[in-house]
Structures are given as structure tokens and as C-alpha cells.
Amino acid sequence: MTVTTVKPDSAAQAADAVRWALSEGTPLDVAGSGSKRGLGRPIQTAYTLDLSGLSGVVAYEAEELVLTARAGTPMAEILPMLAERRQQFAFEPQDLGPLFGRPEGQGTLGGVISCGLAGPRRISAGSARDHTLGIEGVNGRGDLYKGGGKVVKNVTGYDVPKLMAGSFGTLTVLTELTVKVLPASEDVRTLLLAGREDAGAVAALTAALQSPYDVSGAAHLPAAVAARSHVRAVAAVGGAVTLVRVEGFGPSVIARVAALKEELGADAVLDRDESLAVWKEVRDVAYFGPTPSPASAGEGWGGGEDSRHIWKISVQPSEGPRVAESIRWALDAELYFDWGGGLIWAAVAPTPDAASAIRGALGTAGHATLVRAPEDVRTTTEVFHPLPDPVKALSRRVKESFDPCGILNPGRMYAGV
């Protein structure tokens, strides 16, 4: 199929494009930079609405802890701006571009929010949804509208911005977003516990998270995954590695780390640079991503590609070790834990029964999303966890209220929605 790209450079042009598509009955593939095009069900459309032209920071009020930017603004432009003012997106947005074989730093603000991408700090700071204050966009009727506001204490109207977070462009063409920012930590340290089995590691992570020491990251890397780390202190352990992150003001971090090290029996403490590096690996699923070929450095990614399918499995932390063991028993799988054991990233050798095995292991303890797989697999497999009938009916009604003719990313999340 030949795909025509429509690239508006204003919200008004985006609205015109949607109205045209509506009049023609033509669905649109709504995208930013396309760095996460492989995430979700494939869309068969003749037209792509490319929002990368809607770029630029509209307002950055550091004192008010608020940033407003157009949806197509690259994260590579925003993050350094925040860092200059010692601020950050506290939900620690993921950069999954390399997981799909693309260079890092190509994602956009609209893509991060639309896909609801939050990293290890989600357990303490909340999700992308919790930090989205306001949106402007075009619904499936071609109407330009606004939701939320540009202040942190905003209580007027329905909380539409939070509905847009994680909607994968199926409800609205986002043109502008307002997001809360927070001060970046002065210091960060990571406690390293060596050689823990899954159950013992999750128990230690639970103890750390329930302690008064304000832990902001809690992950466990089984031996094979830890060996793949580019942080020497992690790879050199030669076994499983359990990680507990502490952030904040320097003296406070030192005191909390000392107390936690004694309580948990930690084997080592990673310094600031090591901590930043290892949590970036955990955040971006770097252990299962394609690796840059030395021969192609500076020319893109290639060589050493990991062809396994990647699953994101949300689970009750207490059930995490059992679910992981069940998946390992049923499939050729490698995995690691984040969110204190509440998130399992699994790399699974291609097999037709992977979805049923993973979701069967979960039972009612959580849900599983197929994050990376070839297009033919994502066409025939439920990419997002199947919904109970009442929730499915509610999702369909929400879709119809924003996009009654189904022209915005139709079927990206669920067939027929």
C-alpha cells in the first residue's frame, strides 16, 4: 500500500486534515517521529498524519514547575532544557526507540504521553498520566478543543488530559501538552545486593519500599541479564543483582543509604554516574534491545539484533516470582523485574503459544502487553491484555464519544476500537 503523509505545522492545519479525512471516510495513522510505530497493533491506512511539524516549547515556567510544548517537540530538545534548570519529568519517561532498532532520543513529548511511558520512578512519583496537566488537540469530529489547564492546582472540568495519557492517539490528535516538572535530585546512589534469587530479591525490594528511606527505584536483574549491563560494577558480580535507588539532597542520601545498607545487607553502593547509567538501562529495556554495530556507529543501528518478542507484564509484586517461574517453565524466556517486582520485562523466543502461556501464568494477578514483535504477530495476537466485557463496552463508548467515525488510529489498541 502506498502511504501519503500529511504534515501540518499548526493546530489549525491538523484540524483541517482531520476534517478532510472525516469527509472522505479515510482513517489516519496519527504519529509523531514514528519512534514507537512498532508498539501496538498495526494500522492499515493510506494516510499518515505526521505531527513532527508541531514542534517547539511554548512556555517553560521553571518557578511554577510547568512546561508547555507542542506535541511533536523532541524529548532530546526538552530534557536538556530541564536539566539546565536542575529539573526533570519525575515519571522518568522511557526512550524505547533503541528497543525498536532506532537511535535513542528520537521520541516526542506527544508520543511519551500518548503511550503512557513511565520508568522506574513510577513507583514513587506516579505515571505519565499523573503529571499531565493540560492538552490541546483535535477530536475525531475535527473540533479543536482544550482540556485541563496550565497550573498544577487545576480542578475545573473533566480530567480529559489523564484520559489522553496511554490512549495511543485513538481519541484525539494531540497538538499541545502541559506537563508538570519537578526539581532534579542533587545526588543519587544505588544499593547493590548480589546473588539473590527472585523471591528473596522481591522480599528485599518490598522491605526497602516499605522503609522510611524514600526509595525511588527497586529492580532485580537475574544473572544472565546483569551480565549484559554496561555498568562494570553490575556485570562483574557474576550473578543476580538487586538494585535499590535513593535520591535527594547529598547528606540525606548518604544517611539513608547507610541505614538501608545495614538493614538490607547490601554488598555495595553504586556512585552517581554508575547509578544514572544502570537505571537508564533498566528504564529503556536496554538488556533486550538491538545493539549498535561498531561498523555502523554514527550511521544508525544494526548488527547483534535481538529477535525475541518483548512482553511488559504488570503483576502484584508478591506474585512476581511465581509468574516469572511459570513463564520460564513454559517458554524460552529471559526476564527482569522493575517497580519492586510489580513489573516484569520478558524477552521470549518466538512461539505461537507465547500469549496464552504468559497470560495463563498471570491469571488474575495482572496484565501483559506485547511490546515488540513483527507486524504479522501483532496482527494476530492480542497486543494489549484482553478486556472484560464491561470494560470493553466502556472503552468502545469512550472511543465513540471522541471519534464516532473511527478515523484516528483505528484498531491501534483493540480490533474495532
Side-chain angles (χ1 to χ4, degrees):
M1 176 187 295
T2 301
V3 177
T4 301
T5 298
V6 179
K7 188 175 182 179
D9 57 19
S10 69
Q13 289 184 6
D16 287 342
V18 172
R19 293 183 194 117
W20 173 85
L22 185 63
S23 68
E24 296 291 321
T26 300
L28 296 172
D29 177 6
V30 183
S33 66
S35 64
K36 293 171 283 295
R37 191 176 296 279
L39 179 56
R41 299 180 72 253
I43 303 173
Q44 299 297 325
T45 65
Y47 292 89
T48 293
L49 185 59
D50 178 354
L51 301 180
S52 61
L54 300 178
S55 181
V57 174
V58 176
Y60 175 29
E61 301 176 58
E63 296 78 10
E64 299 297 327
L65 303 177
V66 170
L67 178 138
T68 300
R70 294 184 177 89
T73 308
M75 293 297 288
E77 176 182 334
I78 294 173
L79 296 179
M81 182 184 301
L82 297 180
E84 284 183 10
R85 300 298 296 269
R86 297 183 180 179
Q87 294 184 338
Q88 65 182 353
F89 289 132
F91 62 92
E92 205 167 358
Q94 291 178 290
D95 182 355
L96 295 183
L99 190 67
F100 295 104
R102 298 173 63 102
E104 64 181 19
Q106 290 195 344
T108 63
L109 179 62
V112 165
I113 300 301
S114 291
C115 297
L117 300 179
R121 204 179 290 114
R122 188 193 191 287
I123 55 174
S124 61
S127 66
R129 174 178 288 108
D130 300 314
H131 295 257
T132 305
L133 302 176
I135 62 101
E136 295 184 13
V138 185
N139 63 22
R141 296 182 175 85
D143 300 326
L144 275 165
Y145 76 98
K146 299 180 181 180
K150 296 185 178 181
V151 294
V152 173
K153 294 183 178 179
N154 175 53
V155 294
T156 59
Y158 294 106
D159 207 348
V160 173
K162 288 181 172 52
L163 184 62
M164 295 302 126
S167 65
F168 284 78
T170 60
L171 303 179
T172 289
V173 176
L174 293 176
T175 59
E176 185 176 296
L177 299 103
T178 298
V179 185
K180 177 170 60 177
V181 301
L182 289 173
S185 298
E186 177 185 290
D187 199 7
V188 55
R189 294 287 186 273
T190 300
L191 292 99
L192 186 154
L193 289 68
R196 305 288 177 100
E197 296 296 325
D198 292 350
V202 171
L205 297 177
T206 301
L209 290 167
Q210 291 178 345
S211 75
Y213 302 121
D214 198 17
V215 168
S216 67
H220 173 64
L221 313 179
V225 176
R228 211 170 287 131
S229 174
H230 289 277
V231 178
R232 183 173 300 178
V234 174
V237 168
V241 171
T242 306
L243 303 166
V244 176
R245 182 173 62 185
V246 179
E247 299 176 289
F249 295 108
S252 170
V253 170
I254 292 171
R256 285 182 285 143
V257 165
L260 266 175
K261 185 176 182 182
E262 182 176 349
E263 290 189 16
L264 299 178
D267 298 283
V269 177
L270 304 183
D271 65 21
R272 176 184 175 81
D273 290 341
E274 292 171 324
S275 294
L276 293 175
V278 75
W279 287 104
K280 182 177 183 293
E281 291 178 344
V282 172
R283 180 194 74 193
D284 296 341
V285 203
Y287 309 113
F288 302 150
T291 54
S293 168
S296 63
E299 300 177 5
W301 291 65
E305 286 219 6
D306 188 335
S307 63
R308 294 175 296 178
H309 301 173
I310 307 301
W311 286 82
K312 180 181 181 181
I313 304 162
S314 296
V315 62
Q316 299 170 21
S318 60
E319 291 290 301
R322 177 195 63 79
V323 170
E325 186 58 30
S326 296
I327 292 172
R328 288 192 189 105
W329 182 85
L331 302 169
D332 179 6
E334 188 176 43
L335 50 82
Y336 71 92
F337 299 81
D338 196 4
W339 298 355
L343 174 63
I344 300 172
W345 286 100
V348 180
T351 178
D353 58 351
S356 59
I358 290 171
R359 288 171 175 149
L362 267 175
T364 60
H367 54 86
T369 301
L370 177 58
V371 172
R372 189 185 75 189
E375 185 172 309
D376 60 328
V377 176
R378 291 182 289 114
T379 299
T380 57
T381 301
E382 286 273 18
V383 171
F384 296 91
H385 202 82
L387 299 174
D389 288 341
V391 179
K392 185 184 298 183
L394 176 60
S395 297
R396 192 179 299 277
R397 291 198 299 273
V398 170
K399 170 70 170 175
E400 290 171 353
S401 68
F402 281 89
D403 182 21
C405 294
I407 64 168
L408 303 180
N409 280 356
R412 178 73 185 270
M413 298 186 74
Y414 294 97
V417 178

